[in-house]
Amino acid sequence: MGTERPAPKVGIQQSSATFGMDLFAFLNELQANNNRPWFNANKERYAASVRAPALEFIRNMVPRIRRVSKHLTADDRGVGGSLMRVHRDIRFSPDKTPYKTNVGIQFRHSAGRDVHAPGLYVHIEPDDVFVAMGMWRPEPAAQRRIRAKLHTEQGRWRRLINAKRFREHFTLAGGTLKTAPRGYRADHPLIEDLRRTDYLAIADLSPAAVVSSEFEEVVATHLRTGAVFMRFLCEAVGHPF
C-alpha cells in the first residue's frame, strides 16, 4: 500500500452532536489570529467550543474503546489526558506561532508513554480530519521487532493490509527509508513495508462527520476495523491488546 492519503471530503451540515459548527469557526479564526492577545480574549470560546466538547467526546468513547481493547486509555482529564494541549512547543521550531490550530486527541496504550506504543489518534482541523492508529517513529528496538515480525509473518501481514474492509477504511502512511534497512535484502517481498519508519493506518473523514451525532460511532467503527493492525503491532513490541 502507498503512503499517499486521499484528500478529505468537504461540506458541513449541522446535527445534534458533541461537537458543533462553532468548533470550526473558532479554529478558522485562530488560524487567522494565532497570537496570545487574541487567544486570551477568546479563552471562554475555546473552553466552550473546543475543550468541553472534546472532553465529552473522550468520555463518550470510553465504553466503545473498552469493547475493542481494555489496554487503550480514554482519559478526560483537562491536563495530561487524551486531549492534547493547545499550546505549541516552539522551543526548537522556526514557527513561533503559539497555538495549535487543530484538535488532537490521543487514546494511548496503557503500556506506553505519549506515542511510544501503538495507539489511536483523532485529528480535527477545518481542512483535515482523520483517524490514525499505529506507531509514529517507533524507537529503534521497537522498530527492529516490528520488522522482524513482518519478516516472519509475511502472509499474515499481507492478509491484514489487503483485507477488503481494511483497505476501504485505511491507507498506510508515514515516513520511509530511502534504502533497505540493515539486515534485509533490497528485493525482500515486503521491502516497501520494511522501509517504513512509521507504522500508521490513516482514515480520512469529512468535517461533516465531526458535527454528526454519529461521530463517536464512526471513530469506534474505524477502531474495530483496524484492531487487527493494532494487535499485530502490539504483539511485535510486546504489549497486550
Side-chain angles (χ1 to χ4, degrees):
M1 298 179 69
T3 60
E4 292 297 322
R5 289 170 48 205
K9 299 176 182 178
V10 296
I12 302 174
Q13 294 181 347
Q14 179 70 42
S15 60
S16 176
T18 303
F19 291 105
M21 289 289 293
D22 48 340
L23 165 71
F24 290 105
F26 180 88
L27 293 177
N28 276 317
E29 291 181 47
L30 179 57
Q31 284 183 337
N33 302 277
N34 198 332
N35 58 75
R36 288 183 176 84
W38 185 90
F39 189 86
N40 287 337
N42 288 272
K43 275 187 176 180
E44 291 186 2
R45 286 183 62 200
Y46 169 75
S49 300
V50 181
R51 189 173 182 273
L55 296 179
E56 181 182 350
F57 167 77
I58 292 165
R59 287 190 289 272
N60 292 343
M61 288 299 298
V62 170
R64 293 175 169 88
I65 288 175
R66 286 178 178 169
R67 282 195 287 269
V68 178
S69 173
K70 63 181 180 181
H71 299 288
L72 293 179
T73 60
D75 186 341
D76 69 346
R77 288 179 297 164
V79 178
S82 294
L83 178 61
M84 300 177 72
R85 64 198 302 265
V86 67
H87 298 84
R88 294 182 62 249
D89 185 352
I90 60 175
R91 291 174 298 172
F92 309 108
S93 174
D95 178 1
K96 297 304 181 182
T97 51
Y99 303 107
K100 298 173 185 174
T101 56
N102 68 276
V103 178
I105 298 171
Q106 294 185 85
F107 298 104
R108 302 182 182 95
H109 194 287
S110 58
R113 294 183 58 191
D114 297 326
V115 295
H116 298 146
L120 173 68
Y121 172 70
V122 178
H123 182 97
I124 303 171
E125 197 168 3
D127 57 355
D128 195 15
V129 178
F130 63 87
V131 172
M133 59 180 61
M135 295 185 73
W136 181 80
R137 297 294 189 272
E139 296 169 329
Q143 184 69 271
R144 288 192 294 270
R145 295 181 70 171
I146 294 171
R147 287 174 177 150
K149 193 170 183 68
L150 287 171
H151 175 69
T152 58
E153 299 190 31
Q154 296 179 38
R156 179 184 171 191
W157 176 255
R158 286 197 191 94
R159 290 191 297 273
L160 185 163
I161 63 171
N162 290 315
K164 180 181 178 182
R165 185 166 173 80
F166 186 85
R167 289 173 66 91
E168 287 175 347
H169 282 73
F170 292 105
T171 300
L172 295 189
T176 60
L177 299 173
K178 293 183 178 179
T179 59
R182 182 177 300 177
Y184 296 94
R185 307 187 320 271
D187 61 349
H188 191 286
L190 291 183
I191 191 59
E192 181 179 350
D193 294 316
L194 290 168
R195 288 173 50 233
R196 296 186 184 278
T197 54
D198 306 307
Y199 287 89
L200 298 173
I202 295 185
D204 284 295
L205 303 176
S206 68
V210 178
V211 297
S212 163
S213 59
E214 300 299 319
F215 186 50
E216 287 91 350
E217 188 55 33
V218 168
V219 175
T221 297
H222 283 80
L223 176 57
R224 289 192 295 269
T225 302
V228 289
F229 176 79
M230 290 282 284
R231 186 181 299 279
F232 187 96
L233 293 177
C234 283
E235 290 176 5
V237 299
H239 296 324
F241 186 75

